[in-house]
């Protein structure tokens, strides 16, 4: 990436970023820049607590304004990533004022009237006028990218997914807690109290992400079940999900085991993954090739490997996905939605 | 544990430990002591390279002898944990000389004539005269402990397991590599070359344990499929396994998703797990109770939590198991086999 500053495009979109200084907000800024999104103006917004500061952006240093006292009148696109309650309060007024809202929180995802979009799958749902568009949960996005081609080819019967989710899913404070706890462990010092993660995450794995909700499921697990069904438009799809935080800084990994009505063999599955936009197949056991979080960090694509057939059952497939949770799992997917919206909007105009 | 030295029991068993100085060998010594196994004499054996040293044991310091030049004539029980090739070469002659061999390697596990034993499940297969008895793979033992009660109650249709395996599964050198790589990462230094694990394991997860074998499976994954079928005596059981190394020092975790012919609801499943010998149920979402590797480290029991029904399908169950891979996954299970053998043997005599 160039370190040179970008210039604003007179014919570009007027963009607001709500939660610009957070881990995802910063990636939104970088991603708009890396993808040469045409930005006419950039408005950085945050809660009163963070407002007043200045943030370095690819378009130069910009002030962070107070969200509560800002009107959205002169905006085309508002990217929200400042928590569900912020979105619930401010997204509707942004839409009323004429901006499309691309919301990275879970606030609106399961509402019938709100499209839940992964552009490679259901870009057709992106409207061409102001509305709320929901960005799915990070761990769901990488999963559905792999499920869609399998379903088209063989019809999914059931999906089992176990996640290995990095601490950046809990923001910069999630990263800091891992590093602090790890240093303490190596020094033989008492572990700092876990505040962000459910337990001490240094040299440990923690099978709870988000609070517990109905049926003993964590919120993260319920999101994976319900959002997968909604995005794939398969409301009956059988999905078992268990979500686990692991001491990894960035990129989420997932073990996926599926059954399909029509058998899909390994060469077929590999070809389906390789052809799917947004996926890169990295799968060659003979040459010890498979993806890990290090490989996917800071990449736009999601990586698939370890593709295998179930032993003695041609209807079963196993594989492994790794994707940058801050990019395809959040900022990149949001920017892709913005790109598609802006294309429709400008074509329409 | 007491630091006092144990005394040898004149009527106890004459025990040899092959690979006594390794991570599992040391746990075998500790476990014999912790469980008050009656030891009449203790012979520590190792390859020529390690022979000649002295090892601290709960029975005082003992010399390590050269395995190749040792006869097994005056021994009752030989615990092998020095690699498959060592077992292949020396276990048969130990049996010929009159010792039972409890082999922690994979050398003999899948041979029809060799019992593969988890005492809570199939102690009846333990012979009462010298033979080779195979100790299963660490990640398999904790899995089958949970599958047996579910199968008895509801008949298993399929099993999906994703592992989160600690670096001590690769011995002390596996632990050292994690710590060295983690220190380097925190210091911003270049990562030491990964020699034990397939990739740099610090702040990363690595979906390959052991070399790749047939069908793109890792050896660890094939072990889980085939050993699970053999131990449960269900040669057709459908098992999908993906094995992943995580930056955890000790204790293996597993996400397990199963389907059963007859529905088992969550209270039933919890009761089945709680009643199963060797398992402890730690599952109370309302009070944020679930096990992590820290909870299971240095414990004899395996921990089960996060028990849930599949959404919209009463035939599906999801749960999470954590077990100390060096204890129930290796040394403890071997010592339990030794205890059962010695009981049969002395009753028989």
């Amino acid at each position: 990436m160039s370190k040179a500053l970008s210039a604003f495009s007179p014919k570009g979109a007027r963009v607001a970023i709500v939660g610009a200084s957070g881990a995802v907000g910063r990636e939104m800024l970088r991603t708009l820049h890396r993808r040469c999104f045409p930005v006419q103006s950039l408005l950085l917004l945050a809660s009163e607590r963070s407002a007043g500061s200045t943030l370095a952006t690819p378009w130069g240093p910009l002030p962070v304004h107070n969200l509560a006292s800002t009107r959205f009148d002169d905006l085309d696109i508002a990217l929200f990533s400042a928590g569900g309650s912020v979105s619930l309060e401010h997204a509707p007024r942004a839409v009323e004022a004429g901006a499309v809202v691309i919301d990275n929180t879970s606030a609106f995802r399961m509402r019938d009237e709100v499209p839940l979009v992964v552009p490679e799958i259901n870009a057709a749902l992106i409207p061409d006028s102001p509305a709320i568009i929901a960005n799915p949960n990070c761990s769901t996005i990488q999963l559905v990218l792999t499920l869609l081609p399998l379903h088209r080819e063989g019809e999914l019967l059931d999906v089992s997914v176990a996640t290995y989710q990095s601490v950046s899913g809990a923001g910069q404070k999630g990263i800091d807690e891992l590093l602090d706890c790890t240093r303490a462990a190596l020094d033989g010092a008492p572990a700092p109290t876990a505040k962000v993660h459910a337990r001490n995450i240094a040299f440990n794995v923690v099978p709870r992400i988000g609070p517990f909700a109905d049926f003993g499921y964590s919120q993260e697990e319920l999101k994976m079940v319900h959002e997968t069904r909604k995005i794939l438009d398969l409301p009956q799809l059988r999905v078992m999900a268990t979500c686990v935080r692991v001491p990894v800084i960035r990129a989420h990994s997932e073990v996926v085991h599926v059954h399909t009505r029509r058998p899909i063999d390994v060469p077929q599955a590999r070809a389906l993954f390789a052809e799917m936009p947004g996926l890169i197949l990295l799968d060659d056991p003979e040459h010890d090739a498979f993806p890990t979080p290090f490989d996917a960090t800071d990449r736009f694509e999601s990586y698939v490997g370890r593709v295998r057939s179930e032993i003695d059952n041609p209807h079963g497939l196993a594989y492994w996905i790794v994707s940058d949770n801050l990019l395809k799992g959040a900022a990149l997917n949001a920017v892709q939605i913005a790109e598609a919206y802006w294309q429709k909007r400008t074509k329409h105009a």
Side-chain angles (χ1 to χ4, degrees), chain A residues 157-221:
Chain A
L157 295 175
D158 58 56
V159 176
S160 160
V161 55
T163 72
Y164 302 67
Q165 294 181 238
S166 67
V167 295
S168 57
Q172 186 59 43
K173 61 191 190 306
I175 299 174
D176 293 342
E177 188 170 293
L178 168 62
L179 296 176
D180 290 347
C181 290
T182 304
R183 285 193 192 94
L186 290 176
D187 294 346
T193 306
K195 289 177 183 161
V196 181
H197 307 298
R199 295 287 189 278
N200 181 355
I201 189 68
F203 303 117
N204 204 11
V205 293
V206 178
R208 172 167 76 72
I209 299 180
F212 283 123
D214 296 340
F215 322 118
Y217 278 70
S218 67
Q219 277 192 359
E220 187 81 359
E221 290 158 353

Side-chain angles (χ1 to χ4, degrees), chain A residues 21 23 26 41 45 56 72 81 103 109 114-115 168 170 190 211 221 223 243 253 257 285 289 308 313 327 342:
Chain A
S21 57
R26 289 198 308 265
S41 65
L45 299 172
F72 286 82
S81 188
D103 183 26
R109 285 180 193 150
V114 173
S168 57
E221 290 158 353
K223 288 176 194 172
C243 293
S253 308
H257 296 158
R308 287 154 292 144
N313 179 15
L327 292 180
W342 191 243

Side-chain angles (χ1 to χ4, degrees), chain A residues 199-278:
Chain A
R199 295 287 189 278
N200 181 355
I201 189 68
F203 303 117
N204 204 11
V205 293
V206 178
R208 172 167 76 72
I209 299 180
F212 283 123
D214 296 340
F215 322 118
Y217 278 70
S218 67
Q219 277 192 359
E220 187 81 359
E221 290 158 353
L222 290 179
K223 288 176 194 172
M224 287 197 81
V225 175
H226 296 305
E227 294 183 20
T228 295
R229 289 172 166 183
K230 178 167 175 173
I231 297 164
L232 295 177
D233 196 18
L234 296 170
Q236 310 294 326
L237 184 64
R238 288 167 50 186
V239 181
M240 287 225 255
T242 300
C243 293
V244 181
R245 190 72 79 192
V246 296
V248 165
I249 306 280
R250 188 161 168 168
H252 289 352
S253 308
E254 296 176 2
V255 165
V256 188
H257 296 158
V258 303
H259 292 105
T260 55
R261 189 170 304 280
R262 296 179 293 281
I264 300 175
D265 66 19
V266 169
Q268 270 181 298
R270 284 180 176 152
L272 290 167
F273 292 143
E275 286 159 17
M276 179 71 192

Side-chain angles (χ1 to χ4, degrees), chain A residues 117-152:
Chain A
V117 175
V118 177
E120 292 86 347
I121 295 177
N122 57 3
L125 301 181
I126 297 172
D128 60 2
S129 59
I132 295 174
I133 305 169
N135 207 40
N137 181 47
C138 48
S139 49
T140 306
I141 295 176
Q142 66 191 84
L143 175 65
V144 292
L145 280 179
T146 63
L147 293 181
L148 179 74
L150 297 180
H151 183 67
R152 281 186 181 148

Side-chain angles (χ1 to χ4, degrees), chain A residues 309-343:
Chain A
S309 283
E310 183 176 337
I311 307 275
D312 301 329
N313 179 15
H315 295 270
L317 267 179
Y319 57 92
W320 167 257
I321 336 170
V322 191
S323 183
D324 189 315
N325 54 302
L326 298 181
L327 292 180
K328 187 57 182 169
L332 171 64
N333 198 71
V335 169
Q336 287 176 297
I337 293 171
E339 290 168 348
Y341 173 78
W342 191 243
Q343 201 172 19

